[in-house]
């Protein structure tokens, strides 16, 4: 098997991105609102919103899904820009 674990992780990371900006905008809510709802720092919410997050914890995914009333499948979208 010639593909290393790191290469597979990079491949997955390159193909998907967080959809938080679209979900939040569709609800008409702010980054501040999301920070207060989830307990995620405003700085981290900003990074998530702007697509600057490379790794994300499961508990963060759960908090985002709960606040945005979405599933993990809706939280991630295919990234066709790469």
């Amino acid at each position: 098997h010639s593909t290393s674990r790191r290469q597979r992780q990079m491949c997955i990371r390159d193909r998907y991105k967080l959809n938080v900006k679209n979900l939040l905008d569709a609800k008409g809510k702010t980054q501040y609102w999301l920070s207060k709802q989830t307990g995620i720092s405003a700085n981290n919410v900003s990074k998530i919103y702007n697509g600057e997050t490379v790794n994300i914890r499961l508990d963060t995914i759960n908090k985002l899904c709960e606040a945005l009333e979405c599933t993990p499948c809706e939280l991630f979208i295919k990234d066709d820009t790469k």
Side-chain angles (χ1 to χ4, degrees):
H1 195 298
S2 63
T3 305
S4 72
R5 181 174 181 216
R6 185 162 181 83
Q7 287 172 319
R8 285 192 306 272
Q9 288 174 334
M10 289 174 63
C11 180
I12 291 170
R13 190 177 337 151
D14 288 345
R15 290 193 341 220
Y16 293 91
K17 64 182 178 181
L18 286 164
N19 191 33
V20 171
K21 182 182 187 320
N22 292 334
L23 293 169
L24 197 58
D25 292 350
K27 291 181 88 53
K29 301 292 185 180
T30 65
Q31 292 179 48
Y32 177 80
W33 175 87
L34 187 59
S35 176
K36 290 299 179 191
Q37 291 295 309
T38 60
I40 300 169
S41 73
N43 187 47
N44 283 340
V45 166
S46 177
K47 287 179 180 180
I48 291 168
Y49 183 87
N50 291 310
E52 299 168 6
T53 301
V54 175
N55 297 311
I56 188 163
R57 293 170 31 160
L58 283 174
D59 65 325
T60 301
I61 293 170
N62 288 329
K63 290 174 185 178
L64 291 170
C65 286
E66 187 174 325
L68 295 170
E69 299 175 317
C70 69
T71 67
C73 289
E74 295 165 319
L75 192 63
F76 294 91
I77 57 173
K78 210 165 205 158
D79 186 356
D80 296 325
T81 61
K82 294 187 178 189

